[in-house]
């Protein structure tokens, strides 16, 4: 996707030095476009943990790059196997909910341990494969999802289709295209009239900061709303469909996504509004049969709730939002039970959120 007319991925190898990974530092957007350099396993671990890089597909790919960098770091030294296993465990501990991360690290570790002597080369090949899979999957999600928007547009005689989204499940959360936003970009590029309601997504404001930035760069009309507004819009016929992303989806179709997604699904159900989840199969955890009971929910620092971050006099500043003694609680994700979900938009097509339908697409 483009920023100020220039094509970007969210992460890449530095030109002229393929031992260094570069990525867009999302903690500075939309105020500053900053590129961060990742040169060690610790750099990648901290970038993921502190959310310079975030979004399920992106943290999977970033962790894969972390394994590649670790292979470079430990190559030719004593205890390679022990060290690379340690790097895998560290990267996997950075964020617990998005399953893409653990999957990518396990695949990388497996390949690296199998390759005797050419660990670095093999690791790089595997990262590229994982990255390419995520890009292609998002493109396909766009191709399948656009049909749903097209249908609504026809039913509205070409009038604007209003889509509500939560958090940032856009290209910044992936490598390119996005998941929830891929169908929107595809529709916009086809000349279908679309408008996006962007939930601000407290406490980190991924909607207000990142989704708004992305849509604006692509020229898609959007409006940022406070997180409490969606229900009111739905009751008043101002939302035609909801599309969100997923950090982990269980085989029974339960979806973990950014905190607040569940409330949007309830409001959509009450107002007969289709509620879709767009996700690559790298976000499906086939080992989990009941999302509500089994998906781990990340709890982050209470300071993210206690303080709000914004742009003031040319700097990104934090301000206290409540009393300085306030106790705050910060669950980063919630589970939307399958019964509230109309369908899953995947790289293999659209399916119902249940075991039979999911396994039919992904045998
Ligand atoms: O905490 P974040 O910003 O990493 O959470 C991201 C989300 O919840 C996204 O909606 C999800 O990862 C899907 S991204 C394509």
């Amino acid at each position: 996707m483009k920023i100020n007319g220039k094509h970007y991925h969210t992460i890449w190898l530095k030109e002229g030095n393929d031992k260094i990974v570069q990525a867009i530092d999302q903690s500075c957007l939309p105020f500053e476009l900053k590129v961060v350099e990742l040169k060690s396993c610790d750099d990648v671990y901290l970038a993921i943990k502190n959310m310079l890089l975030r979004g399920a597909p992106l943290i999977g790919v970033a962790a894969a790059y972390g394994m590649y960098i670790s292979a470079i770091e430990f190559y030719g030294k004593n205890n390679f196997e022990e060290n690379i296993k340690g790097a895998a465990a560290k990267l996997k501990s950075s964020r617990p909910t998005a399953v893409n991360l653990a999957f990518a690290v396990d695949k990388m570790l497996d390949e690296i341990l199998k390759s005797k002597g050419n660990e670095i080369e093999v690791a790089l090949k595997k990262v590229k494969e994982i990255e390419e899979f995520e890009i292609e999957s998002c493109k396909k999600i766009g191709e399948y999802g656009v049909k749903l928007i097209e249908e609504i547009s026809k039913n509205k005689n070409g009038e604007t289709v209003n889509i509500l989204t939560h958090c940032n499940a856009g290209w910044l959360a992936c490598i390119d295209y996005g998941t929830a936003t891929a169908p929107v970009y595809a529709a916009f590029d086809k000349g279908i009239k679309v408008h996006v309601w962007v939930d601000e997504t407290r406490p980190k404001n991924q909607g207000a900061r990142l989704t708004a930035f992305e849509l604006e760069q692509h020229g898609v009309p959007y409006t940022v709303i406070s997180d409490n507004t969606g229900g009111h819009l739905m009751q008043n016929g101002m939302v035609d469909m909801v599309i969100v992303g997923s950090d982990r989806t269980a085989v029974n179709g339960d979806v973990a996504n950014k905190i607040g997604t569940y409330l949007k699904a309830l409001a959509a159900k009450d107002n007969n509004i289709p509620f879709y989840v767009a996700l690559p199969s790298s976000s499906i955890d086939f080992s989990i049969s009941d999302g509500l009971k089994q998906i781990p929910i990340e709890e982050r620092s209470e300071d993210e709730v206690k303080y709000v971050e914004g742009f003031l006099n040319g700097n990104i500043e934090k301000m206290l939002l409540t009393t300085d003694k306030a106790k705050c609680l910060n669950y980063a994700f919630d589970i939307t039970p399958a019964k509230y979900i109309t369908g899953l938009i995947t790289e293999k097509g659209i399916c119902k959120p249940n075991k039979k339908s999911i396994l039919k697409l992904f045998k």
Side-chain angles (χ1 to χ4, degrees):
M1 301 298 279
K2 288 185 173 157
I3 300 179
N4 302 328
K6 184 176 168 204
H7 185 265
Y8 278 90
H9 280 169
T10 45
I11 192 163
W12 62 89
L13 283 177
K14 185 173 182 164
E15 218 182 303
N17 186 349
D18 62 9
K19 291 184 173 61
I20 297 177
V21 175
Q22 293 185 314
I24 296 175
D25 179 349
Q26 301 191 23
S27 67
C28 297
L29 288 175
F31 314 116
E32 261 178 74
L33 178 60
K34 220 170 111 184
V35 170
V36 63
E37 294 207 334
L38 309 167
K39 300 175 185 164
S40 66
C41 175
D42 276 10
D43 285 352
V44 178
Y45 167 80
L46 289 173
I48 296 173
K49 195 175 169 55
N50 298 330
M51 293 178 68
L52 276 61
L53 311 179
R54 29 70 51 202
L58 175 58
I59 59 177
V61 173
Y65 272 115
M67 288 298 286
Y68 159 67
I69 290 182
S70 304
I72 298 173
E73 226 175 324
F74 305 131
Y75 188 76
K77 296 187 184 143
N78 289 340
N79 307 327
F80 178 86
E81 187 169 330
E82 197 183 307
N83 286 332
I84 201 81
K85 282 184 178 165
K90 178 152 199 180
L91 289 165
K92 276 167 86 170
S93 74
S94 57
R95 293 197 74 191
T97 301
V99 75
N100 309 53
L101 194 155
F103 281 170
V105 170
D106 285 343
K107 275 188 207 158
M108 291 294 297
L109 183 63
D110 196 45
E111 287 293 314
I112 292 170
L113 292 180
K114 273 194 307 204
S115 60
K116 298 283 175 217
N118 57 344
E119 284 83 353
I120 298 172
E121 215 173 281
V122 164
L124 185 56
K125 189 164 166 264
K126 194 69 190 171
V127 183
K128 289 283 155 202
E129 204 181 293
I130 294 171
E131 186 178 56
E132 204 42 49
F133 172 83
E134 294 296 355
I135 295 171
E136 266 314 296
S137 295
C138 287
K139 195 167 169 212
K140 284 280 175 202
I141 287 169
E143 286 167 15
Y144 286 114
V146 73
K147 292 179 189 146
L148 299 168
I149 301 177
E150 220 159 11
E151 190 65 30
I152 295 173
S153 167
K154 266 190 210 137
N155 293 340
K156 289 185 81 177
N157 296 319
E159 264 180 51
T160 301
V161 180
N162 288 296
I163 301 157
L164 185 140
T165 193
H166 191 67
C167 194
N168 173 263
W171 75 269
L172 285 165
C174 306
I175 311 300
D176 209 343
Y177 303 103
T179 56
T181 55
V184 176
Y185 291 131
F188 179 82
D189 291 347
K190 271 183 127 176
I192 299 168
K193 283 194 204 156
V194 283
H195 164 263
V196 183
W197 296 111
V198 177
D199 281 354
E200 62 175 349
T201 320
R202 278 283 293 152
K204 295 282 285 178
N205 292 320
Q206 290 94 328
R209 291 179 64 162
L210 305 176
T211 306
F213 172 76
E214 274 198 43
L215 293 170
E216 196 166 292
Q217 288 292 329
H218 201 89
V220 178
Y222 70 90
T223 308
V224 177
I225 50 175
S226 76
D227 288 329
N228 302 322
T229 308
H232 173 74
L233 297 180
M234 291 184 204
Q235 284 173 325
N236 286 281
M238 294 160 82
V239 180
D240 296 301
M241 73 190 302
V242 179
I243 315 181
V244 296
S246 171
D247 291 83
R248 190 186 302 221
T249 292
V251 184
N252 70 345
D254 289 353
V255 163
N257 193 49
K258 181 53 55 193
I259 191 86
T261 302
Y262 168 52
L263 292 177
K264 292 300 137 71
L266 287 179
K269 185 80 173 179
D270 192 44
N271 291 282
N272 284 320
I273 291 164
F275 184 98
Y276 284 95
V277 180
L279 71 155
S281 55
S282 53
S283 299
I284 303 176
D285 189 341
F286 290 95
S287 74
I288 283 190
S289 56
D290 185 324
L292 203 48
K293 289 198 184 127
Q294 295 171 281
I295 297 177
I297 299 294
E298 177 182 9
E299 196 179 332
R300 296 185 59 83
S301 158
E302 60 181 291
D303 280 0
E304 289 179 358
V305 174
K306 198 164 176 176
Y307 296 86
V308 70
E309 205 179 66
F311 199 58
L312 189 69
N313 301 328
N315 296 308
I316 298 172
E317 304 277 9
K318 275 194 178 123
M319 287 166 80
L320 186 63
L321 197 64
T322 175
T323 81
D324 60 356
K325 290 194 186 69
K327 185 175 172 344
C328 303
L329 178 66
N330 187 11
Y331 284 119
F333 301 95
D334 62 21
I335 306 292
T336 300
K339 63 182 173 185
Y340 299 118
I341 299 167
T342 311
L344 305 176
I345 311 170
T346 77
E347 78 272 17
K348 292 241 175 111
I350 299 170
C351 70
K352 288 277 161 212
N354 60 49
K355 187 173 174 180
K356 194 171 160 210
S357 190
I358 292 172
L359 292 185
K360 200 171 158 202
L361 273 193
F362 301 99
K363 291 205 179 99

